[in-house]
Amino acid sequence: MSDGTGVKYLVPIKQVDKSIKLTDEARTELRSIGMMDEKGKLKLKGVSAKMLKRMKLESVDCPVLKAEVGFVQCYVCKNFHSRITGQVYCKGEPF
């Protein structure tokens, strides 16, 4: 999928019954950029508490990590481009 924006994958968002835990690497990254406090509480700029709660109950099959990850981890990934109508536009670049 090449549309001039650098987007390589169009990944559908799935609903899950229980939130998927963030990896230790993701937690460290979130703390370093100021999106998580020392107690582990997320503080995403521009995201309401209601939306964050909904995001925690969503997942995607990450084409880069080749694994199912929680949407919050996807949202803060450097490959995240945008989310439109239940799909994530992913740049697909290796880490």
Side-chain angles (χ1 to χ4, degrees), residues 2-53:
S2 180
D3 59 3
T5 60
V7 173
K8 191 172 180 181
Y9 298 104
L10 191 58
V11 186
I13 298 172
K14 302 183 294 186
Q15 298 295 317
V16 292
D17 295 329
K18 190 174 180 186
S19 65
I20 297 174
K21 299 278 187 203
L22 290 170
T23 63
D24 289 336
E25 295 84 18
R27 286 182 181 278
T28 304
E29 181 67 21
L30 285 168
R31 282 190 182 110
S32 70
I33 58 177
M35 290 188 167
M36 179 181 278
D37 64 15
E38 291 304 314
K39 295 179 183 176
K41 185 165 174 81
L42 286 167
K43 295 181 176 181
L44 302 179
K45 292 181 180 95
V47 178
S48 69
K50 185 177 178 181
M51 183 62 182
L52 184 59
K53 183 177 180 182

Side-chain angles (χ1 to χ4, degrees), residues 5-9 64 78-81 89-94:
T5 60
V7 173
K8 191 172 180 181
Y9 298 104
V64 178
K78 69 178 185 122
N79 283 317
F80 179 84
H81 183 270
Y89 289 80
C90 175
K91 295 177 189 170
E93 297 170 1

Side-chain angles (χ1 to χ4, degrees), residues 43-92:
K43 295 181 176 181
L44 302 179
K45 292 181 180 95
V47 178
S48 69
K50 185 177 178 181
M51 183 62 182
L52 184 59
K53 183 177 180 182
R54 200 172 111 204
M55 286 166 60
K56 286 181 179 180
L57 293 175
E58 296 173 333
S59 71
V60 295
D61 290 322
C62 179
V64 178
L65 297 175
K66 306 278 191 263
E68 184 177 19
V69 298
F71 179 71
V72 173
Q73 184 171 343
C74 177
Y75 181 73
V76 297
C77 175
K78 69 178 185 122
N79 283 317
F80 179 84
H81 183 270
S82 61
R83 170 192 175 142
I84 301 172
T85 60
Q87 296 180 322
V88 171
Y89 289 80
C90 175
K91 295 177 189 170

